């Protein structure tokens, strides 16, 4: 951690221990300081902390480990695991980042990627999508990693969770989080919403990914169309998480279908 941040949080820790009430005053260098104002400023500093790439990478790894431990995994001996392996076994890295893929055997329709290269696909999503559509979604999630969207989402999830207090209490984000703190971060991360621009860019990456891997360029449009249809149907609750983080899916589907139709023959 940078020296400036360490010094700041050391000061905050001293202030927290020394001040017994909000109206107290302390003397530094013979001057009286209003601790109420200082503690207010300290709170703002803690909220605005900038996590390093190393901190975020560690948080991503810990979060994925927590999710893997708290979700049933369909391994390669299952139909889901074997299918995912068949589709992705030649996709080992992107931009020098090693990728790893797993299936969660759960009823929610979802998929996500973390900044450490972990791609997780939910079995209910695999039930809904054919191979071309599934690969488009996987490409879309990889696109969020390539464009650093998930890095910022993990940072924001950390800062939005109760776990952010670890920074102030330990002098840095490098402290290992408890299970409950990790669960708090994961909940915030999986509920994160990307901007329309980020989603459009990830859609385009997913479509190009499909083309490069030999899959149908219309897969991206069809996958979005299925999500739109499902979100409007009787099983809308099963797609709620994924759909809520992917705004304007109907417009995006039409946009990607138009792009596929206008590809050079």
């Amino acid at each position: 951690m940078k020296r400036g941040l360490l010094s700041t949080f050391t000061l905050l820790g001293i202030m927290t221990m020394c001040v017994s009430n909000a109206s107290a005053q302390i003397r530094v260098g013979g001057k009286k300081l209003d601790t109420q104002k200082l503690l207010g400023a300290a709170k703002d500093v803690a909220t605005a902390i900038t996590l390093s790439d190393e901190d975020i990478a560690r948080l991503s790894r810990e979060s994925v480990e927590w999710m893997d431990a708290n979700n049933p995994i369909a391994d390669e001996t299952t139909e889901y695991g074997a299918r995912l392996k068949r589709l992705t076994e030649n996709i080992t890295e992107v931009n020098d980042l090693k990728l790893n893929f797993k299936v969660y055997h759960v009823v929610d329709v979802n998929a996500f990627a973390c900044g450490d290269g972990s791609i997780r696909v939910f079995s209910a999503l695999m039930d809904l999508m054919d191979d071309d559509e599934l690969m488009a979604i996987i490409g879309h999630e990889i696109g969020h990693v390539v464009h650093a969207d998930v890095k910022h989402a993990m940072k924001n999830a950390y800062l939005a969770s109760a776990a952010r207090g670890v920074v102030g209490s330990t002098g840095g984000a490098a402290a290992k989080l408890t299970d409950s703190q990790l669960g708090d971060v994961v909940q915030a991360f999986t509920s994160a919403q990307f901007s329309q621009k980020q989603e459009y860019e990830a859609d385009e990456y997913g479509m190009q990914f499909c083309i490069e891997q030999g899959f149908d360029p219309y897969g991206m449009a069809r996958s979005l169309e299925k999500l739109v249809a499902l979100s409007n149907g009787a099983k809308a609750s099963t797609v709620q998480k994924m759909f809520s983080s992917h705004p304007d899916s109907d417009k995006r589907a039409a946009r990607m279908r138009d792009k596929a139709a206008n590809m050079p023959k």
Side-chain angles (χ1 to χ4, degrees), residues 67 112-115 150 153-154 157 184-192 194:
M67 284 185 275
F112 69 86
C114 266
V150 294
M154 180 59 72
D184 199 22
V185 171
V186 166
Q187 183 177 13
F189 175 71
T190 55
S191 300
F194 296 114

Side-chain angles (χ1 to χ4, degrees), residues 35-188:
T35 55
Q36 186 173 14
K37 291 182 179 179
L38 286 174
L39 289 173
K43 182 178 179 181
D44 291 341
V45 170
T47 302
I49 180 175
T50 300
L51 301 178
S52 71
D53 286 350
E54 290 181 0
D55 288 332
I56 296 170
R58 182 196 54 75
L59 285 170
S60 295
R61 288 192 299 272
E62 286 189 21
S63 297
V64 169
E65 288 172 2
W66 187 91
M67 284 185 275
D68 286 353
N70 286 275
N71 286 286
I73 295 175
D75 63 24
E76 296 173 6
T77 65
T78 68
E79 180 181 352
Y80 293 112
R83 180 186 173 196
L84 186 64
K85 180 182 179 181
R86 171 177 59 82
L87 291 172
T88 63
E89 60 184 348
N90 294 321
I91 306 168
T92 57
E93 64 178 50
V94 58
N95 290 7
D96 297 324
L97 179 67
K98 293 188 180 301
L99 303 177
N100 66 90
F101 301 85
K102 288 183 181 178
V103 179
Y104 289 164
H105 196 7
V106 292
V107 298
D108 293 326
V109 177
N110 209 349
F112 69 86
C114 266
D116 69 333
S118 296
I119 314 296
R120 298 295 181 262
V121 182
F122 293 21
S123 58
L125 178 71
M126 298 181 73
D127 288 336
L128 182 65
M129 304 292 172
D130 65 26
D131 286 355
D132 296 308
E133 296 156 0
L134 183 61
M135 289 304 287
I137 290 177
I138 289 173
H140 174 101
E141 298 302 330
I142 292 174
H144 280 309
V145 174
V146 170
H147 299 147
D149 300 337
V150 294
K151 180 179 76 172
H152 297 303
M154 180 59 72
K155 169 189 165 185
N156 292 336
Y158 182 87
L159 295 178
S161 72
R164 68 185 180 275
V166 175
V167 175
S169 63
T170 66
K176 190 172 181 63
L177 302 182
T178 65
D179 278 352
S180 62
Q181 289 168 336
L182 279 170
D184 199 22
V185 171
V186 166
Q187 183 177 13

